[in-house]
Amino acid sequence: MIQNDTIIAMATPSGVGAIAVIRLSGEKAIEIVNTFFKSIKKKKSLLTQKTHTLHLGHLINNNIVLDEVLVSIFKNPTSYTGENVVEISCHGSVFIQQEIIQLFLKNGCRMADNGEFTMRSFLNGKMDLSQAEAVADVIASNSAASHQMAIQQMRGGITNELKDLRIQLLDFAALIELELDFSGEDVEFADRTKFKELVAKITFVLKRLIDSFAFGNAMKNGIPVAIIGEPNVGKSTLLNTLLNEEKAIVSDIAGTTRDAIEDDLIIDGVAFRFIDTAGIRETEDIIENIGIKKAYEKAENAQLIIFLIDANKFSYASEEFLQEIETIKERFPNKRLLVIANKIDTLSCHDTAILKSEIDPLILVSAKQKTGIIELKAELTSLVNTGALSNNETIVTNSRHFEALNNALTAITSVQQGIDLEISTDLFSIDIRECLRHLGNITGEYDVDKDILGHIFGNFCIGK
Ligand SMILES: Nc1nc2c(ncn2[C@@H]2O[C@H](COP(=O)(O)OP(=O)(O)OP(=O)(O)O)[C@@H](O)[C@H]2O)c(=O)[nH]1
Ligand SMILES: [Mg+2]
């Protein structure tokens, strides 16, 4: 990609709005806009204006006024991209937006590619690669939690965690390479005790970041919560009540839901993805059986399982009721399971009291009457460990970073083994370099492949 040309794109969404912002970046950005800009008060040239200033005026082409606009100027290097940047706030009609863009395209600009502004920012050293990637996450974030993680990342979260360690490892790598030059003379420039400490520290940090990924990814995409249980216990009713929408069909016919039905809901700033499933029972029906198989799969892949039972069953088949809970606990021993008794409106006060004393913890709701739902929501948010978020810890949400961290861990583990087994230095120096390469890949300090850059920034919207 040529970098010294001037790019242009809408910075605001396409369509009609009160105002729209058009952004230009490149060496000639100010010059190109200046050709068509006439300030309202005194005649001034944009070329002589200071950086970070605003100018009101008209855009005029062949004596025709296109629009009254407000022009912001940011000069190289103190702009978002590190180049000369002009932002034109114009009136938000699609016609005006197009006229202005066409004018500049004919006069020295070219249309920006997806994410090209941010890519230039990265290439000009304004931010590292992981920060640039976080920009897309900030724009895409749809809950307080995902937003907070993205902002943390954009401000350099993962880079800050890894930067010092990487530099220290780089220093050791240099010393060890030096030892190799003196291999015949049995010298040790690199202090082995300190080196071991560093390797242990890197391993610790990498493991923590890797562990954060499952949580981070769930927070970013919504924590999957599967609602499972026998037919007719009220799973679909519960989904509808939670979403406050008639999303799933409800009926008193057992086996109403066949397919899994999903939707997102943000509770207290945390995004959840609720999955209503087919009621689990023995059946000859082929389609229903496919649905039941799917229900188990969804539960298997979910972060949380809501096991819903009909509270009424407790009054006539309490043994079976208790047995069901045990069975499901045994089936999903490693899952967070929330046992919920529904239709509590049908149970007598006496039976409700016994039920409460028999099973603990147990949440009592009536999906139909919408009771106990606040308690259920509170329980859901408390089950999600948001401690890491409030402590401002770095949480990895990007799968490219996750992969690089895993590769770095594999390499540093080999280094550790190399030290323990006292193998020759030249062998583990390869692993050190490998680890450095993977760490550098996250921040883009190593030459990141052009294809990878294209892939990362290709996922951005145009104008960012
Ligand atoms: N009294 C009472 N009835 C309820 C409650 N929740 C659901 N129902 C009724 O129970 C019946 C079954 O509800 P659904 O939500 O379709 O049950 P389901 O678990 O999705 O059933 P399947 O899709 O067949 O597995 C319907 O007639 C609902 O109106 C509740 O809290 N109280
Ligand atoms: Mg259903």
Side-chain angles (χ1 to χ4, degrees), residues 100-166:
I100 295 174
I101 286 186
Q102 287 306 323
L103 175 68
F104 293 129
L105 284 178
K106 280 184 202 134
N107 288 280
C109 286
R110 76 163 164 82
M111 211 59 205
D113 291 324
N114 290 24
E116 199 174 355
F117 290 91
T118 308
M119 180 157 166
R120 286 183 174 205
S121 176
F122 162 67
L123 292 172
N124 290 326
K126 301 292 289 187
M127 52 174 87
D128 72 39
L129 198 53
S130 71
Q131 289 173 302
E133 288 169 298
V135 173
D137 288 342
V138 170
I139 297 172
S141 59
N142 62 353
S143 71
S146 60
H147 175 252
Q148 199 181 334
M149 287 188 297
I151 289 279
Q152 218 268 357
Q153 188 56 51
M154 195 171 74
R155 291 169 62 206
I158 197 167
T159 318
N160 294 341
E161 298 238 9
L162 297 177
K163 196 162 70 191
D164 278 354
L165 295 175
R166 191 174 160 267

Side-chain angles (χ1 to χ4, degrees), residues 31-238:
E31 202 179 308
I32 293 170
V33 176
N34 188 55
T35 316
F36 303 94
F37 179 79
K38 290 238 153 29
S39 60
I40 292 216
K41 280 195 174 154
K42 43 185 188 272
K43 247 188 125 188
K44 63 179 171 188
S45 163
L46 294 177
L47 296 174
T48 55
Q49 304 304 316
K50 290 198 179 114
T51 184
H52 292 71
T53 51
L54 276 178
H55 310 278
L56 183 65
H58 291 115
L59 281 182
I60 302 176
N61 184 25
N62 293 332
N63 292 325
I64 298 168
V65 176
L66 288 181
D67 196 12
E68 184 175 299
V69 295
L70 196 57
V71 169
S72 326
I73 288 179
F74 307 92
K75 287 193 170 169
N76 154 9
T78 56
S79 69
Y80 179 70
T81 58
E83 304 170 339
N84 287 334
V85 169
V86 180
E87 285 181 8
I88 303 169
S89 304
C90 62
H91 290 100
S93 103
V94 176
F95 174 73
I96 293 174
Q97 296 168 23
Q98 284 313 315
E99 285 291 295
I100 295 174
I101 286 186
Q102 287 306 323
L103 175 68
F104 293 129
L105 284 178
K106 280 184 202 134
N107 288 280
C109 286
R110 76 163 164 82
M111 211 59 205
D113 291 324
N114 290 24
E116 199 174 355
F117 290 91
T118 308
M119 180 157 166
R120 286 183 174 205
S121 176
F122 162 67
L123 292 172
N124 290 326
K126 301 292 289 187
M127 52 174 87
D128 72 39
L129 198 53
S130 71
Q131 289 173 302
E133 288 169 298
V135 173
D137 288 342
V138 170
I139 297 172
S141 59
N142 62 353
S143 71
S146 60
H147 175 252
Q148 199 181 334
M149 287 188 297
I151 289 279
Q152 218 268 357
Q153 188 56 51
M154 195 171 74
R155 291 169 62 206
I158 197 167
T159 318
N160 294 341
E161 298 238 9
L162 297 177
K163 196 162 70 191
D164 278 354
L165 295 175
R166 191 174 160 267
I167 291 170
Q168 288 175 44
L169 188 60
L170 208 56
D171 289 345
F172 270 105
L175 291 175
I176 282 177
E177 307 259 326
L178 201 62
E179 283 179 14
L180 293 178
D181 290 343
F182 291 84
S183 53
E185 299 169 36
D186 195 25
V187 284
E188 264 191 19
F189 296 113
D191 179 332
R192 290 295 186 270
T193 316
K194 281 194 179 146
F195 185 49
K196 276 184 192 168
E197 278 169 20
L198 178 67
V199 169
K201 198 160 173 212
I202 292 174
T203 308
F204 177 78
V205 172
L206 288 177
K207 280 189 175 154
R208 196 181 63 63
L209 288 172
I210 289 167
D211 284 346
S212 77
F213 181 72
F215 172 69
N217 214 29
M219 291 294 256
K220 188 169 157 185
N221 300 321
I223 296 160
V225 184
I227 307 173
I228 60 168
E230 285 189 342
N232 257 349
V233 294
K235 298 178 297 299
S236 302
T237 313
L238 180 66

Side-chain angles (χ1 to χ4, degrees), residues 232 234-237 248-251 255-258 261 276-279:
N232 257 349
K235 298 178 297 299
S236 302
T237 313
I249 300 173
V250 166
S251 87
T256 306
T257 308
R258 298 289 179 98
I261 300 170
D276 176 24
T277 60

